[in-house]
Amino acid sequence: RGAFLATMRSFQPIDRARMARIAALHLHVVTARSGEDFASLAARTGNRWNAVRTAISNGLDTSHRFQDGERVKIAVLATH
């Protein structure tokens, strides 16, 4: 119980400057355009994952060419 209280008391409010430095990857689902590959999709959408990670996350091979309207999971950097 003492360790829990000590930990709880260590929490402090976060000021705006520190909050601005906090960033996290958020999962987004985007719509691909016909003929896009992973590199062009990433350039257009701001995807932070590399082609291999994006392919694995979507159950695809890295050589995949998207059809218009395919839904693709990507990671986008978000600040708070």
Side-chain angles (χ1 to χ4, degrees):
R1 179 176 175 181
F4 174 77
L5 289 176
T7 300
M8 190 175 76
R9 289 185 185 121
S10 73
F11 286 88
Q12 303 172 23
I14 299 175
D15 61 32
R16 288 183 188 263
R18 181 175 281 170
M19 184 67 93
R21 293 191 309 267
I22 297 172
L25 290 178
H26 289 210
L27 183 67
H28 285 214
V29 177
V30 297
T31 303
R33 295 178 181 163
S34 185
E36 278 187 315
D37 61 7
F38 287 103
S40 58
L41 179 87
R44 181 175 62 82
T45 62
N47 183 17
R48 300 298 291 240
W49 285 339
N50 64 27
V52 173
R53 186 171 207 149
T54 305
I56 290 169
S57 297
N58 287 280
L60 301 169
D61 188 81
T62 55
S63 64
H64 182 77
R65 290 280 180 169
F66 293 101
Q67 299 296 317
D68 198 39
E70 276 188 79
R71 305 289 282 160
V72 185
K73 293 182 288 267
I74 65 167
V76 176
L77 188 64
T79 56
H80 299 277

